[in-house]
Amino acid sequence: MAMLPEPLKRARVASTYLSQASYALRQEALRHLIEELATAEPLLLEQNTLDLESSRDLAVSQIVLGWLRLTHERLQRIRQWLEHLYHAADPWQQPLPTRPERFQYAVPLGVVALVYEGLPTLSLMLAGMALKTGNALVLWSGESSHYTAGAIATLIEAALSKTSLPKTTIQTLSLSPASWLGDPTAVDLALVYGRSRFVAEQRAAARCPLVSLSLGNTYLVWDGSVSPESVLNCIQRSHQANPDRALAIEKVIVLANVNPSHLAFVINELSQAGYKQGVDEHLHRNYAEIPLVDASEWPLPYLDQRLAWHYEEDLTAAVNWIHQYGSAASGIIASSYEDCRAFYQQVQTPLVFVNRPPQLERLDALALGVAAKGPQRGLFSLAQLLSTKQVYL
């Protein structure tokens, strides 16, 4: 630990303090965070505008600009999520199996890091989760969210200053992740969110436990055996999840047996409902008025009311496409039990939805997102920020 940068040394000291902090103190800090978020909204929106303007000058993609953009509605949803987190039970007190000669209880991991590009709301959500679970947190954002990250750091500092917790409980780092992720003692868990190349760079540098988070980019396979109304309902309901579109269907794979008139009906209905849509080259032959999907979009989430359509001959080809470009969740809508069974057995996404809309009720699950790979595959919630200590008598 002697070679660690000072901010990470201070985070380690803070984590020791937090591991002994009372639930009341952790709750107090979380309450102040929620209050400061409400007060700081004008500053957050102002600084976020500066990031958006700077990113346009740097030719940042429209998708990443969409991730970066803060609105009053987005901030309201985050406050709502943090309120639910505040009222949740103390995660340290969750019942765990016991035996007469031994018992175990939940303990925080220690120091957690979030390395992200584009989605500043993740840092606010993880700050709340860190306080709830008693972990120290370090944050690093890409250049595209420089001003927004600074405003978030200011509001977090203001919240912590109203408690007896160390100010180093949550820190924003300016040091490049490459300078500290390679040290296995730097943090106990690193969370990474961003484009595939960004995630790959952090994973290559990391020597500590690392989890890549996924949101959006859910693929739906449409088999021609079901009605277009069923498909339309599934897509639209997936976009109505609370509090956001964390797992909304954004990519639809149309199999060869889908009736062209059914496809035209669904596309038209979604267009009238305000969805922006794009198609692949195969479908563009019949839908020349709809923009082509750029090849870079298939592995990326939109996180807004947008859909991309892709054609495949059969279920096997569809599953292979999802393996290439999907990450968090996938679904199928089909009448054949055999096809549904083959799909959920073969597809490799951690979450699979069969004949139902993919939704992540994050107010109930209190999940930050989905861990796409590794031993923590699946929903990433409070439990993933805790370990257990076993005591033998």
Side-chain angles (χ1 to χ4, degrees):
M1 196 167 112
M3 300 300 292
L4 281 179
E6 281 301 319
L8 288 165
K9 290 181 183 178
R10 293 193 291 268
R12 184 63 64 187
V13 173
S15 73
T16 302
Y17 186 95
L18 281 162
S19 68
Q20 303 169 30
S22 68
Y23 181 56
L25 179 54
R26 289 180 277 132
Q27 284 287 89
E28 178 191 1
L30 180 52
R31 169 51 59 190
H32 285 306
L33 177 67
I34 296 169
E35 293 169 351
E36 290 297 330
L37 177 55
T39 303
E41 180 174 321
L43 176 63
L44 282 171
L45 295 177
E46 174 188 289
Q47 297 301 299
N48 185 247
T49 299
L50 293 177
D51 278 327
L52 292 171
E53 292 173 350
S54 300
S55 296
R56 289 191 187 97
D57 293 340
L58 295 171
V60 174
S61 74
Q62 288 299 311
I63 291 179
V64 175
L65 285 176
W67 299 352
L68 174 59
R69 184 175 292 105
L70 290 180
T71 63
H72 171 69
E73 290 73 24
R74 278 190 175 182
L75 292 175
Q76 273 194 322
R77 289 195 293 266
I78 294 304
R79 287 201 299 274
Q80 184 186 14
W81 189 91
L82 289 171
E83 287 282 359
H84 278 252
L85 178 66
Y86 177 81
H87 291 292
D90 181 0
W92 290 8
Q93 300 302 320
Q94 298 304 304
L96 295 170
T98 60
R99 293 183 180 181
E101 72 279 7
R102 74 181 188 204
F103 65 93
Q104 60 184 7
Y105 58 95
V107 294
L109 296 180
V111 181
V112 178
L114 174 63
V115 178
Y116 69 99
E117 63 170 356
L119 207 64
T121 50
L122 279 181
S123 64
L124 290 166
M125 296 170 74
L126 188 55
M129 293 173 74
L131 292 172
K132 190 79 176 184
T133 55
N135 286 285
L137 175 64
V138 293
L139 302 167
W140 186 91
S141 67
E143 185 61 29
S144 62
S145 55
H146 171 76
Y147 294 106
T148 308
I152 289 174
T154 298
L155 80 86
I156 290 174
E157 184 178 350
L160 291 175
S161 68
K162 296 179 179 179
T163 75
S164 60
L165 289 175
K167 291 183 179 180
T168 53
T169 293
I170 303 174
Q171 301 177 79
T172 298
L173 300 182
S174 57
L175 301 165
S176 168
S179 67
W180 49 272
L181 278 179
D183 187 332
T185 69
V187 298
D188 299 292
L189 179 67
L191 304 177
V192 180
Y193 180 83
R195 289 169 291 184
S196 300
R197 180 181 297 180
F198 178 83
V199 172
E201 289 173 354
Q202 313 314 318
R203 189 176 294 280
R207 296 295 179 269
C208 56
L210 184 143
V211 171
S212 57
L213 291 173
S214 295
L215 293 168
N217 202 41
T218 298
Y219 276 80
L220 176 71
V221 177
W222 177 5
D223 181 83
S225 61
V226 296
S227 70
E229 290 81 7
S230 298
V231 175
L232 180 64
N233 179 62
C234 186
I235 292 171
Q236 291 183 314
R237 285 182 59 196
S238 78
H239 282 258
Q240 296 165 1
N242 195 0
D244 52 32
R245 300 183 177 92
L247 290 183
I249 294 166
E250 298 181 344
K251 314 289 168 56
V252 184
I253 300 177
V254 182
L255 298 186
N257 63 354
V258 172
N259 188 314
S261 66
H262 290 176
L263 176 58
F265 167 77
V266 173
I267 288 178
N268 183 60
E269 289 293 313
L270 290 170
S271 179
Q272 292 188 23
Y275 286 76
K276 297 178 181 178
Q277 299 180 79
V279 294
D280 67 4
E281 292 184 358
H282 180 96
L283 294 173
H284 195 254
R285 300 168 193 167
N286 295 324
Y287 296 93
E289 73 282 3
I290 300 179
L292 276 168
V293 177
D294 188 274
S296 66
E297 296 180 26
W298 295 112
L300 295 177
Y302 294 137
L303 301 180
D304 61 8
Q305 201 165 321
R306 196 184 315 188
L307 284 170
W309 297 86
H310 176 68
Y311 173 89
E312 287 291 355
E313 285 291 328
D314 54 34
L315 183 59
T316 299
V319 170
N320 289 336
W321 183 269
I322 294 172
H323 287 169
Q324 186 174 0
Y325 296 111
S327 54
S330 61
I332 185 172
I333 184 161
S335 62
S336 165
Y337 170 77
E338 289 76 15
D339 286 347
C340 291
R341 185 171 181 269
F343 179 77
Y344 71 69
Q345 286 185 333
Q346 295 171 20
V347 76
Q348 295 176 2
T349 56
L351 302 183
V352 182
F353 297 81
V354 178
N355 288 327
R356 57 162 294 178
Q359 291 184 328
L360 173 55
E361 297 291 346
R362 291 207 285 180
L363 292 184
D364 296 328
L366 292 175
L368 191 66
V370 180
K373 298 179 179 179
Q376 294 181 318
R377 273 168 56 92
L379 291 181
F380 191 95
S381 56
L382 293 175
Q384 281 66 51
L385 293 177
L386 295 167
S387 182
T388 56
K389 180 179 289 187
Q390 298 191 17
V391 179
Y392 291 81
L393 302 174

